[in-house]
Amino acid sequence: MISFDVDEKLAQQLERVRTLGREFLRPLGIEADRKGEAIPADHPFFETAWRLGIGRLGPEEDEEERPRSGERTAARRGVVLGEELAYWDRGAAVALPGPGLGAPPIRRMGTPEQRERFFAPFRDPSRPRWGAFAMTEPGAGSDVAAIRTLARKEGDAWVLDGAKTFISNAIRAEWIVVWATVDPSAGRAGHRAFVVEKGTPGLEDMRAEHKMGLVAYESASFTLRHCRVPAENLLGGERYYESRAGFKGAMESFNATRPMVAAMAVGIARAAYDAAREFAREHFLLSRPLPRHRRVAEKLARMARKIEAARLLCWRAASLADAERPNQVEASMAKAFAPAIAQEAAGLAVEVMAEAGVRQDHYVEKLYRDVKAMDIVEGTGQIQRIVVARRLLGYPASG
């Protein structure tokens, strides 16, 4: 059973996000896009956000993630707030401080000591901090099973060699959760996750990539060159990786985050729909039986219908995650469907607005460039369709 109830606490959080989005996220996202530069880490907005507790972890945070009693709601809360943040500006939302996508693997795989150690900086109110998650590689893209960053044990440390690309907020991160393999021929059994801390020798060549959209946050590439990581930074410790748990941990992390990323695509689609609807209200009398007006009305109806369907898929996947039930198929369905309909919605919005839709003084032009990345990040739509097909046909998750 999927619950669509928004309780009082979530309603208050949504209202705060709307205020934050209207007053800061959208203006900052537009400014970053105009300049062609990410919002700098020392921007006063991040200090303000951190003081307000945005991205900062509190003692109650772990209880919310795994309550002692009652129903888990973290995943559903994530898709609701993720959609709203992306509605105002997905790029500026990703730039917000906090552990980001690095948090789920630390929560799910880390030992109590590791959770305390690596989350401690995010409870410090003195200044904003970021975390990062590094899976994507230049030669492997979204194919988790094909990663080639090597890890080998040397004495009391692990040595990493490889390269990662398009890693959000990596340049400003306190630590990066890096995925590597101890043996590429071992497939999923060879996967390991390490926390590589800022300043670790061998964490090199950090550089920001130039993107067509979502400019407000940095997407970085870097090299791991004989990067020596303490043994205690192996997430979960060596015993965790018995029974091929490394790959399982990676997939559980994705199954937790993909519904939220899909919901962010819904947020972009909703922003495009609202812009097109307002433009149509101002420029067309849709009640008149003119062929052009009928086409505009049909496009708006198509956008609204698909946005609602995508939102339901996200909620279904998140509800299963909160119930601690398998959700790989549902998470992949949401991730495959939502970005595709968001691209369609942005394209239809441009069509409704005609020449105004491609002008840089209209937000829809920016959305049209922003939305493509949503099909790529956290596993491409193509990968998600393969995941769904393999499960429907009864094949293992990966060969």
Side-chain angles (χ1 to χ4, degrees):
M1 178 71 71
I2 302 174
S3 172
F4 296 96
D5 293 337
V6 175
D7 61 24
E8 184 178 347
K9 181 179 179 181
L10 181 54
Q12 292 172 352
Q13 290 175 324
L14 262 177
E15 193 52 43
R16 284 199 295 272
V17 167
R18 289 192 184 107
T19 301
L20 183 81
R22 184 169 50 249
E23 295 183 5
F24 296 103
L25 295 183
R26 187 164 292 182
L28 284 170
I30 292 172
E31 181 184 7
D33 190 75
R34 182 175 55 79
K35 290 181 175 177
E37 298 174 355
I39 306 170
D42 60 356
H43 194 287
F45 166 66
F46 293 136
E47 293 280 355
T48 302
W50 197 248
R51 281 200 303 274
L52 293 172
I54 296 171
R56 189 148 56 87
L57 304 181
E60 73 282 2
E61 190 270 345
D62 288 339
E63 293 182 7
E64 287 185 0
E65 177 64 21
R66 188 173 291 280
R68 294 187 181 93
S69 62
E71 188 182 20
R72 284 174 57 125
T73 60
R76 279 171 288 172
R77 195 171 67 249
V79 297
V80 171
L81 297 178
E83 178 186 330
E84 194 63 31
L85 284 165
Y87 174 82
W88 294 103
D89 195 275
R90 202 262 174 178
V94 175
L96 285 168
L101 296 180
I106 291 178
R107 285 198 188 100
R108 290 170 180 271
M109 302 169 62
T111 64
E113 292 76 18
Q114 288 173 331
R115 289 198 293 272
E116 176 57 33
R117 178 183 163 204
F118 296 123
F119 283 154
F122 296 92
R123 296 190 175 95
D124 179 358
S126 63
R127 64 176 177 84
R129 299 166 192 262
W130 287 262
F133 176 94
M135 177 72 78
T136 302
E137 298 186 355
S142 301
D143 188 354
V144 177
I147 60 172
R148 288 295 179 270
T149 294
L150 289 173
R152 66 180 186 280
K153 188 79 178 287
E154 281 189 5
D156 59 354
W158 288 86
V159 177
L160 307 183
D161 285 284
K164 298 290 180 179
T165 190
F166 283 99
I167 308 304
S168 305
N169 297 323
I171 294 175
R172 60 189 68 179
E174 298 294 313
W175 44 250
I176 307 168
V177 175
V178 172
W179 291 86
T181 177
V182 294
D183 180 2
S185 67
R188 66 183 70 177
H191 290 136
R192 302 290 184 273
F194 302 88
V195 179
V196 180
E197 296 171 88
K198 190 174 189 176
T200 301
L203 178 60
E204 301 177 354
D205 306 329
M206 193 71 77
R207 60 194 182 281
E209 299 289 351
H210 296 285
K211 301 175 292 189
M212 64 183 284
L214 299 176
V215 175
Y217 73 95
E218 291 168 332
S219 295
S221 297
F222 59 85
T223 304
L224 297 150
R225 189 172 289 116
H226 202 69
C227 183
R228 194 173 179 86
V229 179
E232 56 267 28
N233 285 27
L234 173 65
L235 271 186
E238 294 194 41
R239 291 187 61 184
Y240 180 87
Y241 297 89
E242 296 172 1
S243 303
R244 304 195 299 185
F247 184 85
K248 184 180 178 184
M251 297 316 302
E252 285 181 347
S253 298
F254 280 133
N255 294 339
T257 56
R258 279 174 177 158
M260 187 172 71
V261 174
M264 286 184 155
V266 175
I268 295 176
R270 184 158 62 89
Y273 167 73
D274 279 359
R277 185 180 57 175
E278 290 306 309
F279 185 90
R281 281 174 171 164
E282 291 178 10
H283 295 84
F284 306 119
L285 288 173
L286 297 184
S287 59
R288 296 176 61 187
L290 298 177
R292 183 186 179 193
H293 290 184
R294 280 202 297 270
R295 287 195 295 274
V296 168
E298 191 280 330
K299 287 172 182 173
L300 291 173
R302 194 191 323 169
M303 293 163 72
R305 186 172 69 247
K306 293 192 174 183
I307 288 169
E308 190 66 22
R311 183 181 291 122
L312 290 173
L313 283 174
C314 296
W315 273 74
R316 168 71 174 158
S319 295
L320 289 171
D322 278 338
E324 299 189 75
R325 292 169 55 190
N327 75 334
Q328 185 183 32
V329 170
E330 291 78 9
S332 290
M333 284 181 173
K335 180 61 180 65
F337 187 75
I341 71 98
Q343 289 184 72
E344 183 180 357
L348 289 170
V350 168
E351 290 178 17
V352 168
M353 297 173 67
E355 67 273 13
V358 294
R359 284 193 347 227
Q360 291 186 332
D361 59 339
H362 282 269
Y363 194 58
V364 163
E365 185 270 344
K366 177 179 177 299
L367 292 175
Y368 192 79
R369 288 184 286 107
D370 284 351
V371 74
K372 177 57 185 172
M374 302 306 293
D375 186 54
I376 299 171
V377 299
E378 290 287 292
T380 65
Q382 184 180 27
I383 291 286
Q384 304 315 310
R385 288 186 286 275
I386 291 172
V387 169
V388 172
R390 292 183 72 88
R391 283 304 179 97
L392 293 178
L393 294 169
Y395 297 145
S398 178

